[in-house]
Amino acid sequence: MNLTAEQLQIASMIDAKMQKLVCDGNDDITIFAEMFDYMPGFKRLMDTAEPDTMDELCRRFAGFFHYAKILEMVAAGIQSGAIKVPK
């Protein structure tokens, strides 16, 4: 798997921030809010990466994986209606 320098940079920045937030004892909701500025980078990865690229980044970076799971949880909540989104 050949990851680009940009992909590795984005994932490692997300990972580092996540590691700090988790070590500080923050819950997933607080983490979600604190990671707002990192969402465009994550979206860029999703838009430009092959599916196996995201899997590889999750394997390499535990914090990146944790962030992906938080975003997945929020998306599922919005889709199910459990999380209400203002219109």
Side-chain angles (χ1 to χ4, degrees), residues 12-67:
S12 66
M13 286 173 44
I14 290 171
D15 182 66
K17 179 68 172 181
M18 282 295 298
Q19 296 286 349
K20 180 177 181 345
L21 290 169
V22 169
C23 283
D24 289 347
N26 293 291
D27 63 18
D28 286 351
I29 300 301
T30 302
I31 289 172
F32 178 73
E34 290 291 322
M35 292 295 291
F36 179 79
D37 291 339
Y38 293 80
M39 211 171 287
F42 189 88
K43 181 168 181 349
R44 175 154 174 75
L45 287 175
M46 287 185 56
D47 290 345
T48 62
E50 299 293 324
D52 58 336
T53 301
M54 294 300 283
D55 291 341
E56 179 63 22
L57 291 171
C58 285
R59 276 191 289 279
R60 288 190 189 196
F61 300 100
F64 182 83
F65 175 73
H66 188 164
Y67 184 53

